[in-house]
Amino acid sequence: MSATQKVRLNRLFRQGKCLDVAIDHGIANEPDFLSGLENIAEVMAQLIAARPDAIQVNYGQADLLQQHQGDKPALVMRTDVGNAYNQTRHREMWAVLHNPEEPVLAALQMDAAAVVANLYLIPDEPTILRMCIENICRLRHACERYGMPLMVEPLVMAPAGQGPAYGSLGDVEKMVPLVRLARELGADIIKADPTDNPAKFHRVVEAARCPTLVRGGGKGEIGAVLAKSAALMAQGAAGMVYGRNVYQHENPAQVVNALMAIIHQGVSGEEALAIYQQGA
């Protein structure tokens, strides 16, 4: 890893830990994902004030973060777009980079601390896996050239008809090989689903061999979310990338405060819930 990549990573990780709040949900073109993000400028202002370590967003919304004066969270920029999260199955599944010719140019222009791309494993859709691998390979080359850390999001998706179309799975036996593939392709950071059994998440961390952040997924009951987050940190996670579990709650700032206490202070889920309730 280059010195420039290390400098950027230091903006994301304090003492090796990070809370990244994701509001890059427009990439899916799925209305359900946008509940709570209708006024993204207002959400961004609230999150900046709450002070997570990072905010994850696309190029077209990054100005809302980077034009803010004074201290602010680091920018993690989404670089790809696809249709894997839609409620209805598509005849053609695809995942493409915003700019395949200069894949990190927008991130450099916006002074991002890292870029992120998906690695989908979808039943009976080998083409989308190949697209993702090609995306990551292009990104890896550009990231090395320009000193940009690369976050890869390996997702094992459920077969159609099992819950929401292409919902992701926490099956550790399927997750570990895909996480290993992400690392083999050159990931500097892994963003992975929680394992169904949190006590097995250490296997994901071991396969990643780099900082591993937990993906939040859909909104859950706050007490359960905080308890599970604490359990995953105990298994070696370096932090969280949570979106709907922050911005869809009534008090996003207090969710951030509670998660930051888990990640950076090592408090329990119960203690984090008390922090949340103090400001609710």
Side-chain angles (χ1 to χ4, degrees):
M1 181 178 293
S2 70
T4 306
Q5 286 172 307
K6 291 178 181 178
V7 168
R8 292 183 187 275
L9 279 179
N10 286 340
R11 289 162 52 188
L12 280 183
F13 292 90
R14 289 191 294 114
Q15 289 79 48
K17 308 296 182 184
C18 175
L19 173 61
D20 175 12
V21 178
I23 55 173
D24 55 345
H25 292 68
I27 66 161
N29 194 30
E30 179 58 51
D32 290 349
F33 281 20
L34 301 180
S35 176
L37 285 179
E38 293 85 356
N39 187 336
I40 194 168
E42 181 178 317
V43 173
M44 181 68 81
Q46 292 174 349
L47 291 176
I48 291 172
R51 298 299 303 277
D53 297 296
I55 296 176
Q56 184 171 301
V57 72
N58 296 290
Y59 173 78
Q61 309 284 9
D63 63 303
L64 295 172
L65 173 60
Q66 298 301 62
Q67 71 187 4
H68 179 80
Q69 300 296 313
D71 290 341
K72 55 181 174 283
L75 168 63
V76 175
M77 184 173 289
R78 168 69 63 183
T79 61
D80 57 347
V81 62
N83 63 357
Y85 291 112
N86 294 159
Q87 290 289 332
T88 56
R89 181 172 181 143
H90 297 274
R91 292 182 184 177
E92 180 183 357
M93 301 300 297
W94 53 270
V96 298
L97 291 172
H98 293 169
N99 184 352
E101 300 304 319
E102 293 284 353
V104 301
L105 178 60
L108 292 168
Q109 290 171 331
M110 284 293 182
D111 193 29
V115 295
V116 59
N118 286 305
L119 179 60
Y120 294 121
L121 182 63
I122 300 176
D124 301 318
E125 294 289 351
T127 300
I128 198 171
L129 177 63
R130 176 178 57 79
M131 290 177 181
C132 290
I133 291 172
E134 290 173 350
N135 289 343
I136 292 165
C137 289
R138 291 191 186 100
L139 277 172
R140 176 73 274 158
H141 177 73
C143 284
E144 289 290 347
R145 181 177 181 182
Y146 295 110
M148 180 69 67
L150 172 60
M151 183 189 300
V152 176
E153 187 172 351
L155 298 175
V156 177
M157 308 298 270
Q162 294 187 11
Y166 299 114
S168 58
L169 300 174
D171 183 340
V172 69
E173 300 301 333
K174 295 179 180 178
M175 291 173 63
V176 165
L178 194 63
V179 169
R180 176 63 181 265
L181 173 59
R183 177 59 177 169
E184 299 283 355
L185 292 171
D188 300 305
I189 308 163
I190 293 291
K191 173 187 172 185
D193 276 314
T195 46
D196 291 333
N197 180 352
K200 294 185 177 181
F201 192 75
H202 68 93
R203 292 183 56 192
V204 175
V205 175
E206 291 159 4
R209 206 174 59 80
C210 64
T212 306
L213 303 176
V214 181
R215 175 178 178 267
K219 177 187 174 184
E221 189 275 323
I222 188 63
V225 168
L226 295 174
K228 191 171 186 178
S229 299
L232 292 163
M233 290 298 296
Q235 289 292 307
M240 313 290 158
V241 184
Y242 283 1
R244 287 167 285 174
N245 275 306
V246 176
Y247 69 77
Q248 287 185 347
H249 280 281
E250 292 183 0
N251 196 331
Q254 282 305 110
V255 179
V256 170
N257 289 341
L259 289 170
M260 290 289 280
I262 289 172
I263 293 168
H264 290 289
Q265 301 170 32
V267 308
S268 68
E270 289 183 357
E271 292 169 323
L273 181 60
I275 291 171
Y276 173 81
Q277 292 170 337
Q278 287 171 6

